[in-house]
PDB file of all heavy atoms in Angstrom:
ATOM      1  N   LYS X 294      28.526 -79.493   1.222  1.00 48.00           N
ATOM      2  CA  LYS X 294      29.139 -80.664   0.647  1.00 48.00           C
ATOM      3  C   LYS X 294      28.259 -81.894   0.949  1.00 48.00           C
ATOM      4  O   LYS X 294      28.079 -82.129   2.123  1.00 48.00           O
ATOM      5  CB  LYS X 294      30.550 -80.833   1.004  1.00 48.00           C
ATOM      6  CG  LYS X 294      31.181 -81.952   0.249  1.00 48.00           C
ATOM      7  CD  LYS X 294      32.711 -82.080   0.637  1.00 48.00           C
ATOM      8  CE  LYS X 294      33.358 -83.167  -0.106  1.00 48.00           C
ATOM      9  NZ  LYS X 294      34.817 -83.366   0.324  1.00 48.00           N
ATOM     10  N   GLU X 295      27.816 -82.472  -0.091  1.00 49.00           N
ATOM     11  CA  GLU X 295      27.011 -83.741   0.149  1.00 49.00           C
ATOM     12  C   GLU X 295      27.890 -84.830   0.578  1.00 49.00           C
ATOM     13  O   GLU X 295      29.007 -85.115   0.005  1.00 49.00           O
ATOM     14  CB  GLU X 295      26.229 -84.127  -1.068  1.00 49.00           C
ATOM     15  CG  GLU X 295      25.186 -83.059  -1.433  1.00 49.00           C
ATOM     16  CD  GLU X 295      24.313 -83.523  -2.631  1.00 49.00           C
ATOM     17  OE1 GLU X 295      24.544 -84.607  -3.159  1.00 49.00           O
ATOM     18  OE2 GLU X 295      23.450 -82.711  -3.060  1.00 49.00           O
ATOM     19  N   THR X 296      27.546 -85.513   1.591  1.00 48.00           N
ATOM     20  CA  THR X 296      28.235 -86.699   2.050  1.00 48.00           C
ATOM     21  C   THR X 296      27.304 -87.916   1.926  1.00 48.00           C
ATOM     22  O   THR X 296      26.084 -87.792   2.205  1.00 48.00           O
ATOM     23  CB  THR X 296      28.710 -86.491   3.424  1.00 48.00           C
ATOM     24  OG1 THR X 296      27.688 -86.297   4.318  1.00 48.00           O
ATOM     25  CG2 THR X 296      29.692 -85.303   3.572  1.00 48.00           C
ATOM     26  N   THR X 297      27.898 -89.034   1.559  1.00 50.00           N
ATOM     27  CA  THR X 297      27.068 -90.282   1.533  1.00 50.00           C
ATOM     28  C   THR X 297      27.687 -91.206   2.579  1.00 50.00           C
ATOM     29  O   THR X 297      28.845 -91.231   2.805  1.00 50.00           O
ATOM     30  CB  THR X 297      27.216 -90.971   0.201  1.00 50.00           C
ATOM     31  OG1 THR X 297      28.617 -91.094  -0.153  1.00 50.00           O
ATOM     32  CG2 THR X 297      26.622 -89.983  -0.900  1.00 50.00           C
ATOM     33  N   PRO X 298      26.831 -91.974   3.116  1.00 53.00           N
ATOM     34  CA  PRO X 298      27.152 -92.889   4.153  1.00 53.00           C
ATOM     35  C   PRO X 298      28.093 -93.921   3.617  1.00 53.00           C
ATOM     36  O   PRO X 298      27.910 -94.389   2.354  1.00 53.00           O
ATOM     37  CB  PRO X 298      25.977 -93.428   4.746  1.00 53.00           C
ATOM     38  CG  PRO X 298      24.920 -93.282   3.660  1.00 53.00           C
ATOM     39  CD  PRO X 298      25.329 -92.001   2.961  1.00 53.00           C
TER      40      PRO X 298
END
Side-chain angles (χ1 to χ4, degrees):
K294 185 179 180 180
E295 295 183 0
T296 60
T297 58

